[in-house]
Amino acid sequence: MRFRAPHEHEAEERAWQVVGAAYAEREPVAWPRRHARPLVTAALVAAVVAAVLSPPGRSVVHSLRKAVGLQQAEPALFSLPTRGDLLVTSRQGLWLVHRDGSKRLLGRYRDAAFSPHGLFIAATRANQLVALDPKGNVRWTLARPAPRHPVWTGTRTNTRITYLSRGRLRMVAGDGTGDRAVGGRAASGSDAVRIRRRGGQSEVAAGGRVVFRGTGVFDQALWSPNHRWLLVTWPTADQWVFVRPAAPSRIVGASRISVQFGGFPRVQDWCCAG
């Protein structure tokens, strides 16, 4: 037996009257109009996919990918174009890069510099100046607040390291002794190599002339130990570009730099001519 609520039939009749009146007053819409927007969207997607998959479409995509960076760059850094090793820092720490392209992660250091002839390395941590060998073995440490920008100069037997500590210039012997302040705040020096921005492009000028130009941003430009090659770091293209300005001029590129160093790296030093 089905239970019926009081006045249930009258309520159904009133509901049908409301629904019927609303249906009669609706604006009739044809099927194509109701489905026009989804159809247009699907058609546009199909057209784009077809354009990309077609030979001309693939050519356009290829051109866009090649718009920034050297087209003939190597897919990775396989070697350096001249003698010497590089010190490079990234989010992972300090790397030593040899001429044959092999590299070693030395540890969690920031700024770094080679000693004369590349026998040792001076590097910085949050509150330490550290001397280590090319295998990463620590030779000595010196506690100083916020050391930055070490420069190791001298001869094999008489070396010294200058560095900044809280903006003040200090000097220590190559064996870690005799640390002392040597002056006021360090002044920024001049460099014969300049990076300039012009609109959406960057250019490197050396010896009073532009030796390399490209789209986007260049980060660094520094000479090789023999002063024949310039290394230009190009974050926009994720490339390093080696430029030989003198005749016969030559340009060599290496791509996917960020993948190899765990983030786009910063070059700290390039040593030695050998």
Side-chain angles (χ1 to χ4, degrees), residues 119-162:
L119 300 178
F120 299 99
I121 298 164
T124 63
R125 289 174 173 159
N127 291 297
Q128 275 189 333
L129 179 67
V130 182
L132 56 152
D133 64 26
K135 293 184 178 180
N137 301 312
V138 175
R139 307 305 292 263
W140 54 261
T141 64
L142 181 66
R144 286 293 178 267
R148 299 301 303 268
H149 310 302
V151 177
W152 201 330
T153 59
T155 64
R156 285 178 180 265
T157 58
N158 182 19
T159 64
R160 56 193 176 275
I161 303 167
T162 56

Short mmCIF file of all heavy atoms in Angstrom, two decimals, residues 119-162:
data_model
loop_
_atom_site.label_atom_id
_atom_site.label_comp_id
_atom_site.label_asym_id
_atom_site.label_seq_id
_atom_site.Cartn_x
_atom_site.Cartn_y
_atom_site.Cartn_z
N LEU A 119 97.43 25.47 -7.49
CA LEU A 119 97.76 24.39 -6.55
C LEU A 119 96.73 24.26 -5.44
O LEU A 119 96.48 23.16 -4.93
CB LEU A 119 99.14 24.64 -5.95
CG LEU A 119 100.30 24.69 -6.95
CD1 LEU A 119 101.61 24.99 -6.21
CD2 LEU A 119 100.40 23.38 -7.71
N PHE A 120 96.13 25.38 -5.02
CA PHE A 120 95.14 25.37 -3.94
C PHE A 120 93.98 26.30 -4.30
O PHE A 120 94.02 27.00 -5.32
CB PHE A 120 95.77 25.80 -2.61
CG PHE A 120 96.88 24.89 -2.15
CD1 PHE A 120 98.21 25.24 -2.37
CD2 PHE A 120 96.59 23.69 -1.52
CE1 PHE A 120 99.24 24.40 -1.95
CE2 PHE A 120 97.62 22.84 -1.11
CZ PHE A 120 98.94 23.20 -1.32
N ILE A 121 92.97 26.29 -3.44
CA ILE A 121 91.76 27.08 -3.68
C ILE A 121 91.38 27.79 -2.38
O ILE A 121 91.41 27.17 -1.30
CB ILE A 121 90.60 26.19 -4.14
CG1 ILE A 121 90.94 25.52 -5.47
CG2 ILE A 121 89.30 26.98 -4.25
CD1 ILE A 121 90.03 24.34 -5.80
N ALA A 122 91.07 29.06 -2.46
CA ALA A 122 90.49 29.79 -1.33
C ALA A 122 89.00 29.93 -1.59
O ALA A 122 88.58 30.32 -2.69
CB ALA A 122 91.12 31.18 -1.20
N ALA A 123 88.19 29.58 -0.59
CA ALA A 123 86.74 29.63 -0.74
C ALA A 123 86.12 30.18 0.53
O ALA A 123 86.76 30.24 1.58
CB ALA A 123 86.18 28.24 -1.06
N THR A 124 84.86 30.58 0.45
CA THR A 124 84.19 31.16 1.61
C THR A 124 82.93 30.38 1.95
O THR A 124 82.26 29.84 1.08
CB THR A 124 83.81 32.63 1.36
OG1 THR A 124 82.86 32.70 0.28
CG2 THR A 124 85.04 33.46 1.02
N ARG A 125 82.65 30.35 3.27
CA ARG A 125 81.37 29.90 3.80
C ARG A 125 80.74 31.10 4.51
O ARG A 125 81.24 32.21 4.42
CB ARG A 125 81.58 28.73 4.76
CG ARG A 125 81.97 27.44 4.07
CD ARG A 125 82.31 26.36 5.09
NE ARG A 125 82.53 25.06 4.45
CZ ARG A 125 83.20 24.08 5.03
NH1 ARG A 125 83.70 24.23 6.25
NH2 ARG A 125 83.36 22.93 4.39
N ALA A 126 79.67 30.85 5.28
CA ALA A 126 78.97 31.95 5.93
C ALA A 126 79.89 32.80 6.79
O ALA A 126 79.88 34.03 6.71
CB ALA A 126 77.81 31.41 6.76
N ASN A 127 80.73 32.17 7.61
CA ASN A 127 81.65 32.92 8.50
C ASN A 127 83.03 32.28 8.53
O ASN A 127 83.68 32.23 9.57
CB ASN A 127 81.07 33.00 9.92
CG ASN A 127 79.84 33.89 9.99
OD1 ASN A 127 79.92 35.08 9.73
ND2 ASN A 127 78.71 33.30 10.31
N GLN A 128 83.48 31.78 7.38
CA GLN A 128 84.79 31.14 7.30
C GLN A 128 85.46 31.42 5.96
O GLN A 128 84.80 31.42 4.92
CB GLN A 128 84.68 29.62 7.46
CG GLN A 128 84.65 29.12 8.88
CD GLN A 128 84.77 27.61 8.93
OE1 GLN A 128 84.40 26.89 7.99
NE2 GLN A 128 85.31 27.09 10.01
N LEU A 129 86.76 31.66 6.04
CA LEU A 129 87.62 31.61 4.86
C LEU A 129 88.33 30.26 4.91
O LEU A 129 88.90 29.90 5.95
CB LEU A 129 88.63 32.75 4.88
CG LEU A 129 89.62 32.81 3.71
CD1 LEU A 129 88.90 33.12 2.41
CD2 LEU A 129 90.71 33.85 3.99
N VAL A 130 88.28 29.51 3.82
CA VAL A 130 88.77 28.13 3.81
C VAL A 130 89.79 27.98 2.69
O VAL A 130 89.59 28.47 1.57
CB VAL A 130 87.62 27.13 3.60
CG1 VAL A 130 88.13 25.70 3.64
CG2 VAL A 130 86.54 27.33 4.66
N ALA A 131 90.89 27.27 2.98
CA ALA A 131 91.86 26.88 1.95
C ALA A 131 91.76 25.38 1.77
O ALA A 131 91.77 24.62 2.74
CB ALA A 131 93.27 27.28 2.36
N LEU A 132 91.64 24.92 0.53
CA LEU A 132 91.51 23.50 0.24
C LEU A 132 92.28 23.16 -1.01
O LEU A 132 92.67 24.04 -1.79
CB LEU A 132 90.04 23.10 0.08
CG LEU A 132 89.18 23.84 -0.95
CD1 LEU A 132 88.07 22.92 -1.45
CD2 LEU A 132 88.53 25.07 -0.33
N ASP A 133 92.53 21.86 -1.22
CA ASP A 133 93.22 21.42 -2.42
C ASP A 133 92.19 21.06 -3.49
O ASP A 133 90.98 21.01 -3.22
CB ASP A 133 94.18 20.27 -2.12
CG ASP A 133 93.46 19.02 -1.64
OD1 ASP A 133 92.27 18.82 -1.97
OD2 ASP A 133 94.09 18.21 -0.92
N PRO A 134 92.63 20.80 -4.72
CA PRO A 134 91.68 20.51 -5.81
C PRO A 134 90.85 19.24 -5.61
O PRO A 134 89.88 19.04 -6.34
CB PRO A 134 92.60 20.38 -7.04
CG PRO A 134 93.77 21.23 -6.72
CD PRO A 134 94.00 21.03 -5.25
N LYS A 135 91.19 18.41 -4.63
CA LYS A 135 90.37 17.25 -4.32
C LYS A 135 89.30 17.53 -3.28
O LYS A 135 88.49 16.67 -2.96
CB LYS A 135 91.26 16.09 -3.85
CG LYS A 135 92.18 15.54 -4.93
CD LYS A 135 92.96 14.34 -4.41
CE LYS A 135 93.86 13.77 -5.51
NZ LYS A 135 94.63 12.60 -5.03
N GLY A 136 89.32 18.75 -2.73
CA GLY A 136 88.34 19.13 -1.74
C GLY A 136 88.79 18.97 -0.31
O GLY A 136 88.00 19.23 0.62
N ASN A 137 90.05 18.57 -0.08
CA ASN A 137 90.57 18.41 1.28
C ASN A 137 90.89 19.78 1.88
O ASN A 137 91.62 20.57 1.28
CB ASN A 137 91.83 17.54 1.29
CG ASN A 137 91.57 16.16 0.72
OD1 ASN A 137 90.60 15.50 1.10
ND2 ASN A 137 92.41 15.72 -0.21
N VAL A 138 90.36 20.05 3.07
CA VAL A 138 90.56 21.34 3.72
C VAL A 138 91.96 21.40 4.33
O VAL A 138 92.37 20.51 5.08
CB VAL A 138 89.50 21.58 4.81
CG1 VAL A 138 89.79 22.87 5.58
CG2 VAL A 138 88.11 21.64 4.18
N ARG A 139 92.71 22.47 4.03
CA ARG A 139 94.06 22.66 4.57
C ARG A 139 94.04 23.53 5.81
O ARG A 139 94.78 23.28 6.76
CB ARG A 139 94.98 23.26 3.50
CG ARG A 139 94.97 22.49 2.18
CD ARG A 139 95.32 21.01 2.38
NE ARG A 139 96.69 20.83 2.78
CZ ARG A 139 97.68 20.53 1.95
NH1 ARG A 139 97.43 20.35 0.66
NH2 ARG A 139 98.92 20.37 2.40
N TRP A 140 93.25 24.60 5.81
CA TRP A 140 93.08 25.42 7.00
C TRP A 140 91.81 26.24 6.86
O TRP A 140 91.27 26.42 5.76
CB TRP A 140 94.28 26.32 7.27
CG TRP A 140 94.73 27.22 6.14
CD1 TRP A 140 95.75 27.01 5.26
CD2 TRP A 140 94.16 28.50 5.78
NE1 TRP A 140 95.87 28.04 4.37
CE2 TRP A 140 94.92 28.98 4.68
CE3 TRP A 140 93.13 29.28 6.28
CZ2 TRP A 140 94.64 30.20 4.07
CZ3 TRP A 140 92.84 30.50 5.68
CH2 TRP A 140 93.60 30.94 4.59
N THR A 141 91.31 26.74 7.99
CA THR A 141 90.14 27.60 8.01
C THR A 141 90.43 28.82 8.87
O THR A 141 91.26 28.77 9.78
CB THR A 141 88.89 26.88 8.56
OG1 THR A 141 89.12 26.53 9.93
CG2 THR A 141 88.59 25.63 7.76
N LEU A 142 89.75 29.91 8.58
CA LEU A 142 89.90 31.15 9.34
C LEU A 142 88.50 31.71 9.59
O LEU A 142 87.76 31.99 8.64
CB LEU A 142 90.75 32.15 8.55
CG LEU A 142 91.01 33.51 9.21
CD1 LEU A 142 91.87 33.33 10.46
CD2 LEU A 142 91.71 34.45 8.22
N ALA A 143 88.14 31.85 10.87
CA ALA A 143 86.82 32.38 11.22
C ALA A 143 86.81 33.89 11.06
O ALA A 143 87.56 34.60 11.73
CB ALA A 143 86.47 31.99 12.65
N ARG A 144 85.94 34.37 10.15
CA ARG A 144 85.77 35.81 9.94
C ARG A 144 84.31 36.06 9.56
O ARG A 144 83.69 35.25 8.87
CB ARG A 144 86.69 36.33 8.83
CG ARG A 144 88.16 36.43 9.24
CD ARG A 144 88.35 37.50 10.30
NE ARG A 144 89.74 37.59 10.75
CZ ARG A 144 90.25 36.96 11.77
NH1 ARG A 144 89.49 36.11 12.45
NH2 ARG A 144 91.51 37.12 12.13
N PRO A 145 83.74 37.21 9.97
CA PRO A 145 82.34 37.47 9.66
C PRO A 145 82.13 37.77 8.17
O PRO A 145 82.79 38.64 7.61
CB PRO A 145 82.00 38.68 10.52
CG PRO A 145 83.31 39.35 10.78
CD PRO A 145 84.33 38.26 10.82
N ALA A 146 81.24 37.01 7.56
CA ALA A 146 80.79 37.25 6.19
C ALA A 146 81.93 37.49 5.21
O ALA A 146 81.97 38.52 4.53
CB ALA A 146 79.83 38.43 6.16
N PRO A 147 82.90 36.58 5.09
CA PRO A 147 83.97 36.79 4.11
C PRO A 147 83.44 36.64 2.68
O PRO A 147 82.62 35.78 2.40
CB PRO A 147 84.97 35.69 4.45
CG PRO A 147 84.13 34.59 5.04
CD PRO A 147 83.01 35.27 5.77
N ARG A 148 83.95 37.46 1.78
CA ARG A 148 83.54 37.41 0.38
C ARG A 148 84.73 37.74 -0.53
O ARG A 148 85.69 38.37 -0.12
CB ARG A 148 82.41 38.41 0.08
CG ARG A 148 81.13 38.21 0.85
CD ARG A 148 80.50 36.85 0.63
NE ARG A 148 80.23 36.58 -0.77
CZ ARG A 148 79.06 36.86 -1.38
NH1 ARG A 148 78.09 37.42 -0.69
NH2 ARG A 148 78.89 36.55 -2.65
N HIS A 149 84.62 37.30 -1.77
CA HIS A 149 85.51 37.69 -2.87
C HIS A 149 87.01 37.51 -2.57
O HIS A 149 87.79 38.46 -2.63
CB HIS A 149 85.25 39.14 -3.29
CG HIS A 149 83.81 39.44 -3.54
ND1 HIS A 149 83.05 38.76 -4.46
CD2 HIS A 149 82.98 40.35 -2.95
CE1 HIS A 149 81.82 39.23 -4.45
NE2 HIS A 149 81.74 40.19 -3.55
N PRO A 150 87.46 36.30 -2.25
CA PRO A 150 88.89 36.09 -2.05
C PRO A 150 89.67 36.20 -3.36
O PRO A 150 89.19 35.79 -4.41
CB PRO A 150 88.95 34.67 -1.48
CG PRO A 150 87.75 33.99 -2.05
CD PRO A 150 86.68 35.06 -2.11
N VAL A 151 90.87 36.75 -3.28
CA VAL A 151 91.79 36.82 -4.42
C VAL A 151 93.14 36.34 -3.92
O VAL A 151 93.72 36.91 -3.00
CB VAL A 151 91.90 38.26 -4.97
CG1 VAL A 151 92.92 38.30 -6.10
CG2 VAL A 151 90.55 38.75 -5.45
N TRP A 152 93.67 35.27 -4.56
CA TRP A 152 94.92 34.64 -4.11
C TRP A 152 96.02 35.00 -5.09
O TRP A 152 95.95 34.65 -6.28
CB TRP A 152 94.73 33.13 -4.04
CG TRP A 152 95.71 32.42 -3.15
CD1 TRP A 152 96.98 32.79 -2.86
CD2 TRP A 152 95.47 31.22 -2.40
NE1 TRP A 152 97.56 31.90 -2.01
CE2 TRP A 152 96.65 30.93 -1.71
CE3 TRP A 152 94.38 30.36 -2.27
CZ2 TRP A 152 96.80 29.80 -0.90
CZ3 TRP A 152 94.51 29.25 -1.47
CH2 TRP A 152 95.70 28.97 -0.78
N THR A 153 97.03 35.72 -4.62
CA THR A 153 98.10 36.20 -5.50
C THR A 153 99.46 35.84 -4.91
O THR A 153 99.56 35.32 -3.81
CB THR A 153 98.02 37.72 -5.68
OG1 THR A 153 98.12 38.36 -4.39
CG2 THR A 153 96.72 38.13 -6.34
N GLY A 154 100.51 36.12 -5.68
CA GLY A 154 101.87 35.87 -5.23
C GLY A 154 102.56 34.82 -6.08
O GLY A 154 102.21 34.60 -7.25
N THR A 155 103.57 34.18 -5.49
CA THR A 155 104.33 33.13 -6.17
C THR A 155 104.03 31.79 -5.51
O THR A 155 103.25 31.70 -4.56
CB THR A 155 105.83 33.42 -6.08
OG1 THR A 155 106.24 33.37 -4.71
CG2 THR A 155 106.15 34.82 -6.64
N ARG A 156 104.68 30.74 -5.98
CA ARG A 156 104.47 29.42 -5.38
C ARG A 156 104.85 29.39 -3.90
O ARG A 156 104.24 28.69 -3.10
CB ARG A 156 105.28 28.36 -6.13
CG ARG A 156 104.73 27.96 -7.49
CD ARG A 156 105.64 26.96 -8.15
NE ARG A 156 105.15 26.55 -9.45
CZ ARG A 156 104.41 25.48 -9.69
NH1 ARG A 156 104.05 24.69 -8.67
NH2 ARG A 156 104.01 25.16 -10.90
N THR A 157 105.89 30.15 -3.53
CA THR A 157 106.42 30.07 -2.17
C THR A 157 106.02 31.26 -1.30
O THR A 157 106.23 31.24 -0.09
CB THR A 157 107.96 29.98 -2.21
OG1 THR A 157 108.48 31.11 -2.91
CG2 THR A 157 108.39 28.70 -2.90
N ASN A 158 105.47 32.30 -1.90
CA ASN A 158 105.10 33.49 -1.13
C ASN A 158 103.74 33.98 -1.65
O ASN A 158 103.68 34.77 -2.61
CB ASN A 158 106.16 34.58 -1.26
CG ASN A 158 105.81 35.81 -0.44
OD1 ASN A 158 104.99 35.75 0.48
ND2 ASN A 158 106.43 36.94 -0.77
N THR A 159 102.67 33.51 -1.02
CA THR A 159 101.33 33.84 -1.49
C THR A 159 100.56 34.57 -0.39
O THR A 159 100.88 34.50 0.79
CB THR A 159 100.55 32.58 -1.89
OG1 THR A 159 100.37 31.75 -0.73
CG2 THR A 159 101.27 31.80 -2.96
N ARG A 160 99.53 35.26 -0.82
CA ARG A 160 98.65 35.96 0.11
C ARG A 160 97.25 36.01 -0.48
O ARG A 160 97.07 36.00 -1.71
CB ARG A 160 99.18 37.37 0.39
CG ARG A 160 99.36 38.21 -0.86
CD ARG A 160 100.17 39.45 -0.58
NE ARG A 160 100.44 40.23 -1.80
CZ ARG A 160 101.47 39.98 -2.61
NH1 ARG A 160 102.30 39.00 -2.32
NH2 ARG A 160 101.65 40.71 -3.70
N ILE A 161 96.30 36.07 0.42
CA ILE A 161 94.89 36.11 0.02
C ILE A 161 94.30 37.42 0.53
O ILE A 161 94.35 37.70 1.73
CB ILE A 161 94.11 34.92 0.61
CG1 ILE A 161 94.74 33.60 0.19
CG2 ILE A 161 92.65 34.98 0.19
CD1 ILE A 161 94.22 32.40 0.97
N THR A 162 93.75 38.20 -0.36
CA THR A 162 92.96 39.36 0.05
C THR A 162 91.49 39.00 -0.08
O THR A 162 91.09 38.25 -0.98
CB THR A 162 93.28 40.58 -0.82
OG1 THR A 162 93.06 40.26 -2.20
CG2 THR A 162 94.72 41.02 -0.64
#
